[in-house]
mmCIF file of all heavy atoms in Angstrom:
data_model
loop_
_atom_site.group_PDB
_atom_site.id
_atom_site.type_symbol
_atom_site.label_atom_id
_atom_site.label_comp_id
_atom_site.label_asym_id
_atom_site.label_seq_id
_atom_site.Cartn_x
_atom_site.Cartn_y
_atom_site.Cartn_z
ATOM 1 N N TYR A 28 -34.889 189.600 -132.145
ATOM 2 C CA TYR A 28 -36.118 189.166 -132.940
ATOM 3 C C TYR A 28 -36.088 189.782 -134.315
ATOM 4 O O TYR A 28 -35.743 191.093 -134.383
ATOM 5 C CB TYR A 28 -37.377 189.517 -132.119
ATOM 6 C CG TYR A 28 -37.407 188.803 -130.761
ATOM 7 C CD1 TYR A 28 -36.989 189.612 -129.600
ATOM 8 C CD2 TYR A 28 -38.019 187.614 -130.570
ATOM 9 C CE1 TYR A 28 -37.035 189.037 -128.393
ATOM 10 C CE2 TYR A 28 -37.988 187.054 -129.368
ATOM 11 C CZ TYR A 28 -37.588 187.699 -128.244
ATOM 12 O OH TYR A 28 -37.571 187.166 -126.969
ATOM 13 N N ASP A 29 -36.428 189.163 -135.344
ATOM 14 C CA ASP A 29 -36.547 189.690 -136.731
ATOM 15 C C ASP A 29 -37.645 190.553 -136.771
ATOM 16 O O ASP A 29 -38.775 190.285 -136.277
ATOM 17 C CB ASP A 29 -36.589 188.614 -137.746
ATOM 18 C CG ASP A 29 -35.288 187.812 -137.928
ATOM 19 O OD1 ASP A 29 -34.170 188.370 -137.587
ATOM 20 O OD2 ASP A 29 -35.237 186.575 -138.262
ATOM 21 N N VAL A 30 -37.566 191.662 -137.477
ATOM 22 C CA VAL A 30 -38.724 192.531 -137.758
ATOM 23 C C VAL A 30 -39.074 192.290 -139.235
ATOM 24 O O VAL A 30 -38.404 192.534 -140.128
ATOM 25 C CB VAL A 30 -38.395 194.029 -137.513
ATOM 26 C CG1 VAL A 30 -39.588 194.932 -137.898
ATOM 27 C CG2 VAL A 30 -37.850 194.276 -136.131
ATOM 28 N N ARG A 31 -40.287 191.737 -139.336
ATOM 29 C CA ARG A 31 -40.858 191.276 -140.666
ATOM 30 C C ARG A 31 -42.000 192.149 -140.993
ATOM 31 O O ARG A 31 -42.951 192.381 -140.338
ATOM 32 C CB ARG A 31 -41.223 189.833 -140.691
ATOM 33 C CG ARG A 31 -41.602 189.363 -142.020
ATOM 34 C CD ARG A 31 -41.953 187.763 -141.957
ATOM 35 N NE ARG A 31 -40.821 186.954 -141.647
ATOM 36 C CZ ARG A 31 -39.927 186.552 -142.385
ATOM 37 N NH1 ARG A 31 -40.024 186.697 -143.704
ATOM 38 N NH2 ARG A 31 -38.883 185.875 -141.949
ATOM 39 N N VAL A 32 -41.862 192.816 -142.255
ATOM 40 C CA VAL A 32 -42.997 193.641 -142.714
ATOM 41 C C VAL A 32 -43.804 192.814 -143.810
ATOM 42 O O VAL A 32 -43.193 192.282 -144.797
ATOM 43 C CB VAL A 32 -42.436 194.988 -143.416
ATOM 44 C CG1 VAL A 32 -43.548 195.697 -144.049
ATOM 45 C CG2 VAL A 32 -41.712 195.547 -142.370
ATOM 46 N N ARG A 33 -45.150 192.680 -143.631
ATOM 47 C CA ARG A 33 -45.984 191.938 -144.648
ATOM 48 C C ARG A 33 -47.432 192.575 -144.355
ATOM 49 O O ARG A 33 -47.634 193.421 -143.528
ATOM 50 C CB ARG A 33 -45.951 190.607 -144.377
ATOM 51 C CG ARG A 33 -46.536 190.175 -143.062
ATOM 52 C CD ARG A 33 -46.429 188.522 -142.913
ATOM 53 N NE ARG A 33 -47.063 188.119 -141.717
ATOM 54 C CZ ARG A 33 -47.001 186.939 -141.184
ATOM 55 N NH1 ARG A 33 -46.289 185.918 -141.866
ATOM 56 N NH2 ARG A 33 -47.624 186.575 -140.054
ATOM 57 N N MET A 34 -48.247 192.037 -145.249
ATOM 58 C CA MET A 34 -49.693 192.561 -145.159
ATOM 59 C C MET A 34 -50.311 191.914 -143.913
ATOM 60 O O MET A 34 -49.960 190.823 -143.308
ATOM 61 C CB MET A 34 -50.557 192.033 -146.327
ATOM 62 C CG MET A 34 -49.977 192.684 -147.749
ATOM 63 S SD MET A 34 -50.929 192.023 -149.139
ATOM 64 C CE MET A 34 -52.587 192.579 -148.761
ATOM 65 N N ALA A 35 -51.320 192.755 -143.351
ATOM 66 C CA ALA A 35 -51.979 192.282 -142.172
ATOM 67 C C ALA A 35 -52.783 190.853 -142.384
ATOM 68 O O ALA A 35 -53.042 190.445 -143.614
ATOM 69 C CB ALA A 35 -52.913 193.266 -141.783
ATOM 70 N N ASP A 36 -52.927 190.135 -141.395
ATOM 71 C CA ASP A 36 -53.508 188.811 -141.547
ATOM 72 C C ASP A 36 -54.996 188.923 -142.190
ATOM 73 O O ASP A 36 -55.287 188.166 -143.129
ATOM 74 C CB ASP A 36 -53.836 188.087 -140.162
ATOM 75 C CG ASP A 36 -52.418 187.736 -139.498
ATOM 76 O OD1 ASP A 36 -51.461 187.676 -140.332
ATOM 77 O OD2 ASP A 36 -52.339 187.596 -138.331
ATOM 78 N N GLU A 37 -55.764 189.899 -141.815
ATOM 79 C CA GLU A 37 -57.105 190.053 -142.544
ATOM 80 C C GLU A 37 -57.036 190.462 -143.999
ATOM 81 O O GLU A 37 -57.943 190.256 -144.745
ATOM 82 C CB GLU A 37 -57.984 191.082 -141.817
ATOM 83 C CG GLU A 37 -57.345 192.507 -141.641
ATOM 84 C CD GLU A 37 -56.359 192.798 -140.544
ATOM 85 O OE1 GLU A 37 -56.093 191.661 -139.907
ATOM 86 O OE2 GLU A 37 -55.997 193.880 -140.288
ATOM 87 N N GLN A 38 -55.826 191.013 -144.464
ATOM 88 C CA GLN A 38 -55.615 191.365 -145.853
ATOM 89 C C GLN A 38 -55.081 190.096 -146.606
ATOM 90 O O GLN A 38 -54.961 190.187 -147.778
ATOM 91 C CB GLN A 38 -54.646 192.479 -145.895
ATOM 92 C CG GLN A 38 -55.232 193.778 -145.381
ATOM 93 C CD GLN A 38 -54.203 194.840 -145.496
ATOM 94 O OE1 GLN A 38 -52.977 194.597 -145.288
ATOM 95 N NE2 GLN A 38 -54.672 196.145 -145.782
ATOM 96 N N ARG A 39 -54.692 189.058 -145.914
ATOM 97 C CA ARG A 39 -54.141 187.840 -146.570
ATOM 98 C C ARG A 39 -55.136 186.603 -146.709
ATOM 99 O O ARG A 39 -54.662 185.579 -146.800
ATOM 100 C CB ARG A 39 -52.824 187.551 -146.071
ATOM 101 C CG ARG A 39 -51.780 188.539 -146.133
ATOM 102 C CD ARG A 39 -50.425 188.140 -145.619
ATOM 103 N NE ARG A 39 -50.464 187.853 -144.152
ATOM 104 C CZ ARG A 39 -50.064 186.590 -143.665
ATOM 105 N NH1 ARG A 39 -49.772 185.734 -144.443
ATOM 106 N NH2 ARG A 39 -50.207 186.402 -142.313
ATOM 107 N N ARG A 40 -56.365 186.863 -146.440
ATOM 108 C CA ARG A 40 -57.416 185.742 -146.299
ATOM 109 C C ARG A 40 -57.890 185.273 -147.675
ATOM 110 O O ARG A 40 -58.270 184.153 -147.628
ATOM 111 C CB ARG A 40 -58.509 186.125 -145.425
ATOM 112 C CG ARG A 40 -58.139 186.285 -143.940
ATOM 113 C CD ARG A 40 -59.338 186.872 -143.112
ATOM 114 N NE ARG A 40 -58.813 186.968 -141.806
ATOM 115 C CZ ARG A 40 -59.672 187.458 -140.778
ATOM 116 N NH1 ARG A 40 -61.001 187.896 -141.139
ATOM 117 N NH2 ARG A 40 -59.327 187.684 -139.562
ATOM 118 N N ASP A 41 -57.790 185.992 -148.567
ATOM 119 C CA ASP A 41 -58.170 185.563 -150.068
ATOM 120 C C ASP A 41 -57.342 186.286 -151.095
ATOM 121 O O ASP A 41 -56.723 187.275 -150.824
ATOM 122 C CB ASP A 41 -59.640 185.916 -150.239
ATOM 123 C CG ASP A 41 -60.102 187.376 -149.921
ATOM 124 O OD1 ASP A 41 -59.367 188.245 -150.495
ATOM 125 O OD2 ASP A 41 -60.928 187.495 -149.193
ATOM 126 N N LEU A 42 -57.379 185.729 -152.241
ATOM 127 C CA LEU A 42 -56.499 186.325 -153.324
ATOM 128 C C LEU A 42 -57.030 187.650 -153.805
ATOM 129 O O LEU A 42 -56.288 188.400 -154.415
ATOM 130 C CB LEU A 42 -56.440 185.253 -154.506
ATOM 131 C CG LEU A 42 -55.813 183.953 -154.210
ATOM 132 C CD1 LEU A 42 -55.857 183.037 -155.398
ATOM 133 C CD2 LEU A 42 -54.442 184.092 -153.738
ATOM 134 N N GLU A 43 -58.273 188.002 -153.717
ATOM 135 C CA GLU A 43 -58.870 189.164 -154.115
ATOM 136 C C GLU A 43 -58.244 190.416 -153.316
ATOM 137 O O GLU A 43 -58.218 191.510 -153.793
ATOM 138 C CB GLU A 43 -60.379 189.291 -153.818
ATOM 139 C CG GLU A 43 -61.162 188.474 -154.916
ATOM 140 C CD GLU A 43 -60.978 187.050 -154.774
ATOM 141 O OE1 GLU A 43 -60.536 186.552 -153.609
ATOM 142 O OE2 GLU A 43 -61.387 186.268 -155.641
ATOM 143 N N SER A 44 -57.499 190.103 -152.208
ATOM 144 C CA SER A 44 -56.912 191.201 -151.470
ATOM 145 C C SER A 44 -55.695 191.743 -152.269
ATOM 146 O O SER A 44 -55.240 192.878 -151.953
ATOM 147 C CB SER A 44 -56.373 190.708 -150.169
ATOM 148 O OG SER A 44 -57.446 190.132 -149.348
ATOM 149 N N PHE A 45 -55.191 191.052 -153.216
ATOM 150 C CA PHE A 45 -53.989 191.520 -153.936
ATOM 151 C C PHE A 45 -54.376 192.246 -155.180
ATOM 152 O O PHE A 45 -53.501 192.732 -155.868
ATOM 153 C CB PHE A 45 -53.152 190.310 -154.366
ATOM 154 C CG PHE A 45 -52.617 189.556 -153.324
ATOM 155 C CD1 PHE A 45 -53.258 188.439 -152.746
ATOM 156 C CD2 PHE A 45 -51.291 189.977 -152.647
ATOM 157 C CE1 PHE A 45 -52.709 187.745 -151.592
ATOM 158 C CE2 PHE A 45 -50.868 189.295 -151.601
ATOM 159 C CZ PHE A 45 -51.493 188.117 -151.011
ATOM 160 N N ASP A 46 -55.792 192.361 -155.472
ATOM 161 C CA ASP A 46 -56.145 193.165 -156.718
ATOM 162 C C ASP A 46 -55.761 194.577 -156.754
ATOM 163 O O ASP A 46 -55.537 195.148 -157.739
ATOM 164 C CB ASP A 46 -57.685 192.890 -156.886
ATOM 165 C CG ASP A 46 -57.924 191.438 -157.194
ATOM 166 O OD1 ASP A 46 -57.041 190.677 -157.629
ATOM 167 O OD2 ASP A 46 -59.155 191.111 -157.176
ATOM 168 N N GLY A 47 -55.654 195.219 -155.638
ATOM 169 C CA GLY A 47 -55.405 196.553 -155.536
ATOM 170 C C GLY A 47 -53.890 196.947 -155.496
ATOM 171 O O GLY A 47 -53.481 198.037 -155.076
ATOM 172 N N ILE A 48 -53.046 195.810 -155.590
ATOM 173 C CA ILE A 48 -51.557 196.040 -155.487
ATOM 174 C C ILE A 48 -51.119 196.406 -156.798
ATOM 175 O O ILE A 48 -51.498 195.741 -157.894
ATOM 176 C CB ILE A 48 -50.840 194.865 -154.878
ATOM 177 C CG1 ILE A 48 -51.498 194.492 -153.594
ATOM 178 C CG2 ILE A 48 -49.377 195.078 -154.774
ATOM 179 C CD1 ILE A 48 -51.406 195.507 -152.508
ATOM 180 N N TYR A 49 -50.153 197.304 -156.965
ATOM 181 C CA TYR A 49 -49.689 197.821 -158.223
ATOM 182 C C TYR A 49 -48.098 197.503 -158.235
ATOM 183 O O TYR A 49 -47.534 197.621 -157.218
ATOM 184 C CB TYR A 49 -49.873 199.257 -158.466
ATOM 185 C CG TYR A 49 -51.377 199.511 -158.784
ATOM 186 C CD1 TYR A 49 -52.250 199.718 -157.741
ATOM 187 C CD2 TYR A 49 -51.746 199.786 -160.095
ATOM 188 C CE1 TYR A 49 -53.626 199.942 -158.011
ATOM 189 C CE2 TYR A 49 -53.199 199.957 -160.254
ATOM 190 C CZ TYR A 49 -54.053 200.065 -159.204
ATOM 191 O OH TYR A 49 -55.393 200.463 -159.464
ATOM 192 N N VAL A 50 -47.611 197.299 -159.363
ATOM 193 C CA VAL A 50 -46.169 197.082 -159.620
ATOM 194 C C VAL A 50 -45.755 198.087 -160.768
ATOM 195 O O VAL A 50 -46.498 198.353 -161.673
ATOM 196 C CB VAL A 50 -45.820 195.627 -160.036
ATOM 197 C CG1 VAL A 50 -46.074 194.601 -158.810
ATOM 198 C CG2 VAL A 50 -46.670 195.276 -161.196
ATOM 199 N N PRO A 51 -44.455 198.479 -160.696
ATOM 200 C CA PRO A 51 -43.951 199.489 -161.781
ATOM 201 C C PRO A 51 -43.803 198.825 -163.082
ATOM 202 O O PRO A 51 -43.474 197.578 -163.223
ATOM 203 C CB PRO A 51 -42.828 199.968 -161.132
ATOM 204 C CG PRO A 51 -42.220 198.890 -160.235
ATOM 205 C CD PRO A 51 -43.462 198.196 -159.641
ATOM 206 N N SER A 52 -43.961 199.587 -164.203
ATOM 207 C CA SER A 52 -43.850 199.092 -165.473
ATOM 208 C C SER A 52 -42.604 199.691 -166.142
ATOM 209 O O SER A 52 -42.288 200.937 -165.892
ATOM 210 C CB SER A 52 -44.991 199.307 -166.280
ATOM 211 O OG SER A 52 -44.785 199.181 -167.770
ATOM 212 N N THR A 53 -41.841 199.088 -166.964
ATOM 213 C CA THR A 53 -40.783 199.629 -167.719
ATOM 214 C C THR A 53 -41.198 200.463 -168.925
ATOM 215 O O THR A 53 -40.374 201.171 -169.510
ATOM 216 C CB THR A 53 -39.745 198.624 -167.946
ATOM 217 O OG1 THR A 53 -40.511 197.605 -168.815
ATOM 218 C CG2 THR A 53 -39.252 197.908 -166.755
ATOM 219 N N ASN A 54 -42.291 200.333 -169.390
ATOM 220 C CA ASN A 54 -42.872 200.979 -170.583
ATOM 221 C C ASN A 54 -43.119 202.448 -170.093
ATOM 222 O O ASN A 54 -43.699 202.838 -169.185
ATOM 223 C CB ASN A 54 -44.008 200.439 -171.015
ATOM 224 C CG ASN A 54 -43.935 199.047 -171.688
ATOM 225 O OD1 ASN A 54 -42.743 198.716 -171.915
ATOM 226 N ND2 ASN A 54 -45.017 198.320 -171.836
ATOM 227 N N SER A 55 -42.634 203.324 -171.048
ATOM 228 C CA SER A 55 -42.850 204.872 -170.749
ATOM 229 C C SER A 55 -44.287 205.129 -171.010
ATOM 230 O O SER A 55 -44.923 204.745 -171.941
ATOM 231 C CB SER A 55 -41.930 205.675 -171.810
ATOM 232 O OG SER A 55 -42.272 205.315 -173.082
ATOM 233 N N GLY A 56 -44.863 205.809 -170.031
ATOM 234 C CA GLY A 56 -46.174 206.129 -170.141
ATOM 235 C C GLY A 56 -47.274 205.288 -169.443
ATOM 236 O O GLY A 56 -48.438 205.579 -169.360
ATOM 237 N N THR A 57 -46.763 204.042 -169.076
ATOM 238 C CA THR A 57 -47.708 203.046 -168.545
ATOM 239 C C THR A 57 -47.691 203.336 -167.084
ATOM 240 O O THR A 57 -48.935 203.062 -166.511
ATOM 241 C CB THR A 57 -47.238 201.632 -168.796
ATOM 242 O OG1 THR A 57 -47.105 201.464 -170.184
ATOM 243 C CG2 THR A 57 -48.140 200.614 -168.277
ATOM 244 N N GLY A 58 -46.738 203.652 -166.317
ATOM 245 C CA GLY A 58 -46.702 203.872 -164.969
ATOM 246 C C GLY A 58 -46.865 202.616 -164.183
ATOM 247 O O GLY A 58 -46.119 201.650 -164.329
ATOM 248 N N MET A 59 -47.896 202.515 -163.300
ATOM 249 C CA MET A 59 -48.162 201.355 -162.321
ATOM 250 C C MET A 59 -49.120 200.444 -162.992
ATOM 251 O O MET A 59 -50.077 201.037 -163.554
ATOM 252 C CB MET A 59 -48.484 201.828 -160.987
ATOM 253 C CG MET A 59 -47.578 202.771 -160.280
ATOM 254 S SD MET A 59 -45.941 202.110 -159.977
ATOM 255 C CE MET A 59 -46.287 200.987 -158.612
ATOM 256 N N VAL A 60 -49.101 199.181 -162.898
ATOM 257 C CA VAL A 60 -49.917 198.188 -163.380
ATOM 258 C C VAL A 60 -50.446 197.363 -162.184
ATOM 259 O O VAL A 60 -49.673 196.902 -161.336
ATOM 260 C CB VAL A 60 -49.339 197.240 -164.466
ATOM 261 C CG1 VAL A 60 -50.214 196.269 -164.962
ATOM 262 C CG2 VAL A 60 -48.638 198.168 -165.641
#
């Protein structure tokens, strides 16, 4: 069986759940966005 990692079902019910997710930036001093 494949082991799949993802957000829990209750965290994927609306798009606002993704507002607290950060991605790295390549600009120096910016950090996470």
Side-chain angles (χ1 to χ4, degrees):
Y28 303 92
D29 291 336
V30 178
R31 183 179 297 273
V32 177
R33 66 182 183 186
M34 295 178 65
D36 292 340
E37 59 272 10
Q38 296 176 322
R39 298 184 297 122
R40 292 178 179 175
D41 51 54
L42 298 182
E43 283 71 16
S44 302
F45 296 93
D46 291 344
I48 304 299
Y49 290 82
V50 293
S52 171
T53 58
N54 293 343
S55 58
T57 303
M59 305 295 287
V60 181

